[in-house]
């Protein structure tokens, strides 16, 4: 049954509390890369509270750049200050969305923005419900199904089947190549996590058919190569700086770690050459 999602209050979970400085930038970016509504500063249409909430969210996004810049410069003081300011804007956006009962809206832009604020606040359950509501309102929107699938993936293994169904729905809608590559890649990651390695490889290959240079798909396929002992082929990929996209960094690095562990446990034989040993050391 379709129903409006009710906003609930949850304890504040500050980004700085649950992860170290090396990962916080990736987490900030993660929530903004999936389903961004358009910039709204100066756009006063709609309810004033929700407009203010969306403006605060846009300001949060802007602060991400300051966090990234401070991290790149190695400026710990500026990094801490920018992180605190970003968190304040995110908290403000969440407060205003809840006050404006954003979950009851039928405006998909409001719902997408609300889901982003929830996701970044680590309220994954409610973010998923809001994303599900967007698919109900826009059932032909491939991006909506992709976002729902990714949110369900964040929920853990118990939601893997529904996540896969959502991601497959995104592909069936024949989206433009960029979204198709993202949807196939998300399927590949999910199937890898479920131990379905052949199906995972097929999904990554489909992603690369849509976009032959999509970094996340290249890395996903490389993780499967590592698992099968194709170390030189996989290691060559990591000569490219900053290849791993921040929004998928944790998942992809986890796949590489798992692939290396599986390779060692499976005791796969490979030629005892300097090139192979260098490749293994690099990975």
């Amino acid at each position: 049954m379709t129903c409006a999602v009710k906003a609930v209050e949850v304890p504040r979970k500050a980004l700085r509390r649950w992860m170290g400085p090396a990962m916080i930038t990736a987490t900030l970016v993660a929530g903004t890369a999936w389903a961004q509504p358009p910039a709204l500063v100066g756009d006063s249409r709609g309810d004033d509270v929700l407009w203010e909430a969306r403006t605060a969210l846009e300001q949060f996004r802007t602060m991400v750049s300051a966090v990234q810049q401070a991290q790149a410069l190695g400026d710990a003081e500026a990094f801490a200050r920018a992180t605190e300011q970003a968190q304040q804007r995110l908290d403000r956006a969440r407060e205003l969305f809840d006050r404006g009962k954003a979950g009851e809206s039928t405006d998909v832009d409001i719902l997408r923005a609300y889901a982003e604020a929830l996701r970044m606040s680590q309220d994954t359950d409610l973010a998923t419900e809001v994303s599900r509501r967007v698919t109900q309102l826009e059932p032909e929107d491939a991006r909506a199904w992709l976002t729902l699938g990714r949110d369900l993936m964040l929920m853990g293994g118990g939601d893997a089947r529904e996540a896969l169904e959502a991601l497959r729905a995104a592909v069936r809608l024949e989206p433009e190549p960029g979204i198709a590559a993202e949807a196939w890649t998300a399927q590949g990651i999910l199937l890898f996590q479920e131990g379905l390695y052949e199906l995972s490889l097929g999904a990554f290959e489909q992603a690369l058919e849509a976009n032959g240079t999509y970094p996340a798909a290249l890395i996903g396929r490389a993780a499967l190569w590592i698992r099968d002992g194709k170390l030189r082929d996989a290691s060559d990929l990591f000569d490219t700086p900053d290849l791993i996209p921040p929004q998928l960094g944790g998942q992809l690095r986890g796949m590489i770690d798992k692939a290396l562990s599986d390779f060692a446990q499976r005791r796969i034989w490979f030629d005892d050459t300097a090139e192979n040993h260098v490749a293994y050391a690099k990975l």
Side-chain angles (χ1 to χ4, degrees):
M1 179 177 67
T2 301
C3 62
V5 179
K6 300 294 185 180
V8 296
E9 290 299 324
V10 297
R12 171 177 170 172
K13 306 182 186 73
L15 296 178
R16 60 189 177 280
R17 187 188 307 167
W18 62 278
M19 60 192 325
M23 289 298 296
I24 190 167
T25 301
T27 303
L28 289 171
V29 175
T32 64
W34 291 2
Q36 273 196 30
L40 291 166
V41 174
D43 179 357
S44 60
R45 63 177 179 168
D47 182 89
D48 287 344
V49 173
L50 293 178
W51 170 74
E52 188 178 349
R54 296 164 80 184
T55 301
L57 183 62
E58 183 67 22
Q59 292 167 344
F60 161 74
R61 294 175 185 151
T62 300
M63 289 307 305
V64 171
S65 297
V67 174
Q68 292 173 320
Q69 183 177 10
Q71 186 180 46
L73 294 173
D75 188 334
E77 183 177 347
F79 179 84
R81 183 170 58 253
T83 299
E84 178 66 24
Q85 291 172 348
Q87 183 65 54
Q88 289 173 354
R89 299 320 300 162
L90 178 61
D91 290 347
R92 178 61 174 166
R94 171 66 194 273
E95 175 192 350
L96 290 165
F97 278 124
D98 288 345
R99 188 195 307 172
K101 299 182 179 179
E104 299 178 22
S105 177
T106 57
D107 184 325
V108 293
D109 284 342
I110 289 175
L111 291 170
R112 285 188 175 110
Y114 184 37
E116 180 182 339
L118 292 167
R119 191 179 302 117
M120 295 309 301
S121 299
Q122 300 182 73
D123 195 344
T124 309
D125 290 358
L126 190 52
T128 300
E129 291 306 312
V130 175
S131 293
R132 186 179 286 111
R133 179 161 166 75
V134 173
T135 64
Q136 294 166 349
L137 293 169
E138 297 284 348
E140 302 301 313
D141 185 339
R143 173 66 72 179
W145 288 103
L146 171 60
T147 301
L148 174 59
R150 284 172 159 171
D151 281 344
L152 287 162
M153 287 174 66
L154 294 176
M155 298 280 288
D159 297 275
R161 183 179 296 275
E162 187 182 357
L164 189 59
E165 290 174 355
L167 295 170
R168 286 173 173 168
V171 170
R172 282 197 300 271
L173 290 168
E174 299 182 355
E176 52 91 9
I179 294 179
E182 291 183 57
W184 278 115
T185 298
Q187 287 186 55
I189 293 171
L190 178 58
L191 291 164
F192 186 100
Q193 292 171 343
E194 294 296 306
L196 301 171
Y197 301 114
E198 290 187 12
L199 293 175
S200 175
L201 179 59
F204 288 127
E205 294 288 2
Q206 289 284 350
L208 292 170
E209 282 190 23
N211 179 353
T213 62
Y214 188 51
L218 290 169
I219 294 169
R221 184 177 65 179
L224 289 159
W225 284 349
I226 293 168
R227 192 174 180 276
D228 289 335
K230 301 176 182 177
L231 303 180
R232 290 179 62 186
D233 291 337
S235 69
D236 288 344
L237 185 66
F238 295 92
D239 290 330
T240 304
D242 302 322
L243 182 65
I244 294 181
Q247 66 270 24
L248 296 175
Q251 291 174 319
L252 292 171
R253 287 187 175 88
M255 288 175 61
I256 295 167
D257 289 344
K258 177 67 164 59
L260 285 166
S261 176
D262 286 355
F263 167 72
Q265 292 179 8
R266 296 170 75 195
R267 299 180 182 277
I268 295 175
W269 180 88
F270 65 94
D271 290 336
D272 187 15
T273 65
E275 291 83 358
N276 281 331
H277 286 288
V278 168
Y280 185 62
K282 182 193 295 186
L283 291 167

